[in-house]
Amino acid sequence: MCGVFATIGTKENAGETVLEGLKKLEYRGYDSWGIATRVATSSPTTMKGTGKISEVRTSFPNGTTSIGHTRWATHGGVTKKNAHPHTQGCVTLVHNGIADNFEQLKKALKNEYSFVSDTDSEVLAALIDHSLKKNKYKNVVSAIRTATKQIEGRFALVMMIEGVDGIWAIRKGSPLIIGKGKHTNYIASDIPAFLQHTRTVNYLDDGELAKLTSTSVEIYSLINGKKVAKRNIKVEWNEEQATKDGWPHFMLKEIIEQKETILRTLEHSSTSIQKFVHTMNKRKGAYMIGSGTAHKAAMVGEYLFAKVADRKINVVQSEEMSYFERFIKSGTAIVAISQSGETADALEVLEYGVKHKAKILSITNTPSSSIARMSHHHLALNTGIEKAIASTKAMTAQMALLLLCAYTDGPGISYGRTLLRETGANINDMLNPRYSKHIEKIAGKIHKHENLFIIGRNSLYPIALEAAIKIQEVSYIHAQGFAAGELKHGPIALIEKGTVCIVLGSDKETISNAIELQSRGATILGIAPENNDVFTHWIRVPDCSEAQPIATVIPIQLLAYYLAIKRGLDPDMPRNLAKSVTVK
Ligand code: GLU
C-alpha cells in the first residue's frame, strides 16, 4: 500500500527527483517517509521522518542514485525508526507489502544482525545481505534469488547494495513499473511518480528481478535466473490528469469529472463488451468480486443483471471469496472489479481461478495492472488517474460498464448505450455550482452529528452501503447503510429525536420506511427524483430508471466531501487509508 520510487542517472539531484516523485504517490500511503541517496556505489545517506511527504522541504546530499518510500505501516508503529529505507549490512531497501514469515526469518538472523526497527522490511534487508555475503557479493542475481525463495507473502522490494552498481528490484505480488528515460531510469509502484520524466515503461511481472543503471534495464526471472525480454510500452496518461488543476482537492475534481468520465465507457466497442459478456457462460456460473466501493459497484451489477438480463450473478467480497473458491470450476467466470487492478485479495482469488481454469474477466482503471494482465478479457474504465483515496469517478464508470454488460446479456447493448447517454446528459446538467452549493449548505446543517443512517432498496441498497463508506472514510462520522426493508428488523432501535437519516429514492415503499423513521423523531434528508413532505431536506437527482444508482451516488459523494470540509478534514487523505490495497 506504500509508495516506492527510485531513480538512477548521471545528474546528482536523484534525492530531489525521488522527493518530487514520492509526493505524487502520497495517496498510496502517508504515515511516514524516507529517502536514501548515494553517488556511484558508495554507502548511502538516509533521511527519514514521520508525517506527510507533501510537507517535506529538505535538501539532499548530491547523489546519482536514490530510493524512497512513503509508508502505510503494517508491522511496527508509525515512528522514524520504522520508516523506510532500512539498511542491514550492505543492503539498503524499501519494501511494499508484508513478509508473512518475518518472525521466523528474524530469529534465524538475530545473531548476525542487530535490528533497530519493528518492521518486517528490515529483516528482508538482513536476509538479502546474508545471502550476498555467502557468495562474497559476486553474483547478485543468484543471491537475491536465494533470499527471495525464503520470503513468504506478497511484496515488492527496491534496493541498493554498497559496492555494487545499480538499483535492484523484485516483484512478487505488489506492483512495480520501470520508467525509461534518457541517461536516467526510474522504478515506482505507480506511474505518476515519473510521468513528468518519461512515458516509456516496462511492467515488471511477478517473479521478476530488475537491475537498473543510468543507461540500461535488465530483467531476470527469479525462477531460473535467465534474462527476460520486455516490450517498451507508451503510457497514455498525461501530467494534467495527475494534478489538481485549480481544484482545492482531487476528490472534488474527480466528482465533477464524472460529467465526462461516465460517458467514456461508451467508447468500448459493442464487440468487446459482447465478448466479455459471452465469456460469462451461463451454465458454468459467474462470480463477481470486489472490495469496498468496487464491491458495492459489483452489487449494483448484480441487481442490473437480475432486472435487465434475468440472470443471477454471485457477488462476493474479494476478502471472503476464499471460502467459496471450491465452487470455481473450469469455465466458471470470475469478474474482478477494481480501481487500481492491484488489490491483493482479488489477485489471490484470480490466481486460484487460473489454477482451476476459470475464465478471468476484469474491469479496472489501469489496462496494464496486474489484474488486467491476467484476464482473458478486460474492460478499462477510461476515467484517467483517480488520485483521491475515496473512489468516485471509478465507481460510476464501473457501474456504467456493468450496465452495458447487463443490457448486452439482456435486451441488447443499444438500449444500454441510449440509457447511458441520457444519464450522462442528466448528470451534466445536475452537476452545476448551484447544486454543489445546495449540498454544501445541507452539509453545514448536519456535520456536527456523530451518527448518520442511510436507507435504500433495490439497486439503491448498494448505494446506501456505498454512502456509508464515503461518509465514514472522509468525514469520520459513523455512518451505516441499510436495506430500507431491513429497518424494522433491528436498526430502527437506533433512531431517536433528531437522528439524521438519508433516504434514497421517493418510491412508495421507501417513503413508507422514511415515515416510520420520521415517526420516531428522525430528520430526513431525501435524495430522490421527487420531493416529499417527509423530507426535511431534499437533494434532487434526475430520474434515470435502471441507471438510477449512477446518478444517486454523485450527490452522496458531494455530501461526504462537504461534510469533511465542514469538519476541518482533508478529504484527499483520510487517516489510516491508502489508495490501492496491495496487502491482504
Ligand atoms: N510491511 C512494511 C512496514 O510495515 C511495509 C508496509 C508498506 O507497504 O508500506 O513497514
Side-chain angles (χ1 to χ4, degrees):
M1 323 243 296
C2 69
V4 168
F5 182 38
T7 181
I8 180 160
T10 44
K11 293 197 195 132
E12 296 211 327
N13 61 348
E16 279 77 18
T17 306
V18 166
L19 176 64
E20 284 318 303
L22 281 181
K23 285 183 179 174
K24 303 209 169 102
L25 292 186
E26 193 171 32
Y27 63 96
R28 296 180 61 90
Y30 38 82
D31 58 37
S32 48
W33 63 276
I35 294 176
T37 309
R38 75 175 185 187
V39 178
T41 64
S42 61
S43 94
T45 308
T46 301
M47 293 162 91
K48 298 181 181 191
T50 51
K52 293 180 178 177
I53 190 138
S54 49
E55 282 150 22
V56 176
R57 312 257 176 283
T58 194
S59 50
F60 294 90
N62 285 355
T64 48
T65 309
S66 180
I67 64 177
H69 189 263
T70 54
R71 182 167 183 242
W72 189 89
T74 65
H75 292 63
V78 180
T79 58
K80 195 168 165 181
K81 75 170 188 218
N82 286 338
H84 302 213
H86 291 288
T87 301
Q88 281 293 354
C90 289
V91 175
T92 298
L93 62 69
V94 291
H95 169 215
N96 170 206
I98 294 174
D100 292 328
N101 58 337
F102 84 103
E103 276 173 331
Q104 185 193 329
L105 295 171
K106 197 169 184 174
K107 237 192 206 158
L109 291 160
K110 75 170 194 304
N111 292 335
E112 201 181 331
Y113 297 89
S114 53
F115 294 98
V116 291
S117 80
D118 310 311
T119 64
D120 48 346
S121 317
E122 192 187 10
V123 178
L124 303 186
L127 179 73
I128 295 170
D129 184 70
H130 172 79
S131 187
L132 281 160
K133 239 193 231 166
K134 274 192 161 164
N135 77 22
K136 305 204 168 44
Y137 299 87
K138 290 244 154 38
N139 188 340
V140 177
V141 174
S142 145
I144 294 180
R145 283 179 61 215
T146 310
T148 314
K149 277 185 202 142
Q150 299 170 59
I151 311 170
E152 288 167 19
R154 310 180 75 86
F155 55 87
L157 293 173
V158 176
M159 66 197 106
M160 45 195 178
I161 304 159
E162 198 183 321
V164 177
D165 188 26
I167 290 173
W168 298 79
I170 328 166
R171 175 188 165 140
K172 203 187 144 217
S174 299
L176 277 180
I177 301 145
I178 296 166
K180 293 168 124 178
K182 218 176 178 186
H183 307 304
T184 311
N185 287 311
Y186 310 87
I187 186 158
S189 19
D190 205 353
I191 293 168
F194 54 71
L195 202 53
Q196 72 179 111
H197 305 291
T198 180
R199 291 211 211 151
T200 308
V201 308
N202 284 167
Y203 290 96
L204 210 58
D205 283 305
D206 274 348
E208 288 180 347
L209 160 69
K211 180 192 178 186
L212 276 66
T213 67
S214 58
T215 50
S216 66
V217 171
E218 288 169 6
I219 296 168
Y220 301 87
S221 157
L222 280 168
I223 300 167
N224 55 23
K226 289 199 179 131
K227 274 204 182 166
V228 179
K230 286 269 160 183
R231 211 159 44 91
N232 283 345
I233 294 175
K234 280 255 177 276
V235 287
E236 301 296 334
W237 288 353
N238 56 43
E239 259 266 278
E240 223 167 82
Q241 288 174 324
T243 63
K244 283 189 211 149
D245 204 16
W247 293 91
H249 295 98
F250 281 112
M251 184 176 176
L252 185 58
K253 175 186 178 231
E254 289 160 6
I255 292 172
I256 304 299
E257 276 175 357
Q258 292 174 111
K259 283 174 171 213
E260 293 158 32
T261 50
I262 293 166
L263 291 175
R264 268 192 235 146
T265 55
L266 290 166
E267 288 166 15
H268 285 281
S269 72
S270 300
T271 330
S272 141
I273 294 181
Q274 269 150 6
K275 241 175 159 180
F276 189 94
V277 170
H278 290 154
T279 311
M280 296 166 66
N281 185 303
K282 282 207 170 111
R283 275 180 306 115
K284 310 266 172 145
Y287 285 85
M288 202 147 19
I289 58 163
S291 299
T293 292
H295 170 250
K296 307 306 168 280
M299 284 178 74
V300 168
E302 182 185 12
Y303 279 92
L304 286 170
F305 267 90
K307 175 87 195 282
V308 179
D310 200 23
R311 175 164 185 193
K312 177 74 175 82
I313 306 278
N314 299 296
V315 174
V316 184
Q317 273 149 336
S318 307
E319 302 78 12
E320 292 296 310
M321 188 61 202
S322 61
Y323 309 108
F324 301 99
E325 262 173 3
R326 64 183 186 282
F327 299 109
I328 296 174
K329 302 269 155 38
S330 161
T332 305
I334 312 177
V335 188
I337 316 285
S338 164
Q339 190 284 130
S340 66
E342 300 292 349
T343 319
D345 289 294
L347 277 166
E348 269 204 13
V349 177
L350 298 189
E351 280 158 15
Y352 180 92
V354 168
K355 248 206 269 159
H356 291 80
K357 300 199 167 48
K359 292 285 177 201
I360 310 295
L361 299 167
S362 61
I363 296 180
T364 82
N365 207 12
T366 325
S368 49
S369 60
S370 306
I371 290 180
R373 282 183 296 137
M374 67 196 289
S375 304
H376 294 102
H377 293 295
H378 170 256
L379 293 175
L381 297 172
N382 292 339
T383 69
I385 304 169
E386 188 180 69
K387 283 227 138 170
I389 304 281
S391 182
T392 53
K393 62 178 179 176
M395 193 220 188
T396 45
Q398 285 159 353
M399 291 190 283
L401 275 175
L402 288 170
L403 180 137
L404 290 177
C405 289
Y407 274 89
T408 304
D409 208 22
I413 191 163
S414 58
Y415 293 96
R417 285 191 186 281
T418 309
L419 173 59
L420 212 51
R421 239 175 255 122
E422 286 165 8
T423 304
N426 281 329
I427 288 171
N428 191 38
D429 295 345
M430 172 181 94
L431 271 177
N432 58 52
R434 220 162 23 122
Y435 194 69
S436 300
K437 264 262 149 325
H438 174 59
I439 295 177
E440 186 181 357
K441 231 162 120 193
I442 292 175
K445 289 188 178 140
I446 62 174
H447 74 279
K448 291 212 172 107
H449 285 255
E450 286 309 326
N451 294 296
L452 287 179
F453 299 99
I454 309 106
I455 61 163
R457 58 176 59 234
N458 198 346
S459 60
L460 292 182
Y461 163 49
I463 299 303
L465 301 180
E466 166 59 9
I469 298 185
K470 240 7 29 106
I471 294 169
Q472 288 158 9
E473 64 184 342
V474 298
S475 76
Y476 311 158
I477 295 173
H478 167 241
Q480 254 183 297
F482 298 106
E486 181 77 6
L487 270 183
K488 294 190 267 300
H489 300 274
I492 204 158
L494 297 168
I495 308 303
E496 44 191 34
K497 196 166 168 12
T499 307
V500 176
C501 295
I502 302 175
V503 172
L504 308 180
S506 45
D507 58 279
K508 252 197 347 243
E509 286 94 345
T510 308
I511 292 297
S512 296
N513 298 129
I515 294 170
E516 288 160 10
L517 290 168
Q518 190 194 40
S519 313
R520 276 133 193 109
T523 300
I524 311 289
L525 161 56
I527 302 184
E530 277 164 38
N531 201 352
N532 191 286
D533 287 345
V534 73
F535 298 159
T536 312
H537 311 286
W538 175 49
I539 301 173
R540 200 189 77 83
V541 276
D543 189 345
C544 300
S545 76
E546 304 316 333
Q548 200 59 34
I550 303 179
T552 304
V553 81
I554 295 174
I556 292 163
Q557 297 165 347
L558 280 169
L559 182 69
Y561 172 79
Y562 285 116
L563 285 172
I565 299 294
K566 300 278 170 202
R567 289 167 73 96
L569 301 167
D570 177 353
D572 281 349
M573 291 196 182
R575 69 183 172 211
N576 305 339
L577 291 168
K579 184 68 182 163
S580 52
V581 185
T582 55
V583 292
K584 276 192 26 159

